[in-house]
Every structure is written in structure tokens, then in C-alpha cells.
Amino acid sequence: ILFQIFDAFKCRLHDSNSKVNQVALETMHKMIPLLKAKLSPVINMLIPAMVDNNLNSKNPGIYAAATNVIQALCQHLDNYLLLQPFCTKAQFLNGKAKQDMTEKLA
């Protein structure tokens, strides 16, 4: 059931409506401390959804929300769960998003 919930939720993280996108990121930020390691089965699906367009967003609210989500992941999940998806994203992103992900890896 966790996959079904987050499969539907990840679409909101890519939503073309910036307000929906930002609220989804802010909601994700609130859920991470509550779910912690329970997110491990869906983390490889969620990180691309949270990072791809959001860390390069020109909308300051979306960028800030995405940055907060990445920070919450780093605070509440074991680093070994984040290493592979962060490496993959850092390898294929560009611009500010690549810089942000590389800094988190370091």
C-alpha cells in the first residue's frame, strides 16, 4: 500500500501547477520525520520526483521547499539509503541542482 500512496503522491511533486507542486514538497517535508526508515522502500522513486525539476526551479518557494525536503531526508534517514539515489541525481542533473546534490554528497 505504501507504493500505491507514494506512486500517486509523486505525481504531485511533478505537477505543472506551481502551487500544487510547492504544497506537495512542503507536505513531504512534514512526512519525512514521521515516516523515517519506513520510506526506504520508496526512496528511489521519491528522490527523482523531489529533485528533478524542483531544485532548478526559478520559483523561490519551490526551490526552498525542495531544499528543505533534501535536508530532512539527510537528517532523518540513514545515509546508506540516500547514497545511490543522490549519486545518480548528482551525475545527471545540471545547474544549481547538480551543485546542491554534490554538496549533500560531500
Side-chain angles (χ1 to χ4, degrees):
I1 193 154
L2 191 67
F3 282 101
Q4 294 169 327
I5 292 169
F6 281 101
D7 195 41
F9 186 75
K10 78 175 184 175
C11 295
R12 302 295 64 90
L13 295 166
H14 285 292
D15 204 284
S16 59
N17 182 324
S18 62
K19 290 179 183 176
V20 171
N21 192 348
Q22 184 172 344
V23 169
L25 286 164
E26 291 167 354
T27 302
M28 191 69 219
H29 181 252
K30 292 175 186 173
M31 288 191 302
I32 292 168
L34 300 173
L35 296 174
K36 296 181 183 175
K38 293 179 182 121
L39 288 172
S40 63
V42 295
I43 203 70
N44 287 329
M45 169 184 30
L46 287 177
I47 288 178
M50 291 183 277
V51 170
D52 284 349
N53 297 322
N54 300 320
L55 279 182
N56 274 330
S57 178
K58 292 182 182 3
N59 180 320
I62 290 175
Y63 175 76
T67 303
N68 288 339
V69 166
I70 298 301
Q71 185 63 34
L73 287 170
C74 292
Q75 287 176 335
H76 297 285
L77 272 74
D78 287 328
N79 289 338
Y80 76 90
L81 290 173
L82 302 174
L83 184 60
Q84 182 61 46
F86 277 19
C87 284
T88 302
K89 287 288 101 190
Q91 184 178 5
F92 295 107
L93 289 170
N94 56 29
K96 181 121 178 79
K98 184 175 189 102
Q99 178 183 347
D100 289 344
M101 291 308 296
T102 304
E103 287 175 9
K104 286 298 174 194
L105 278 168

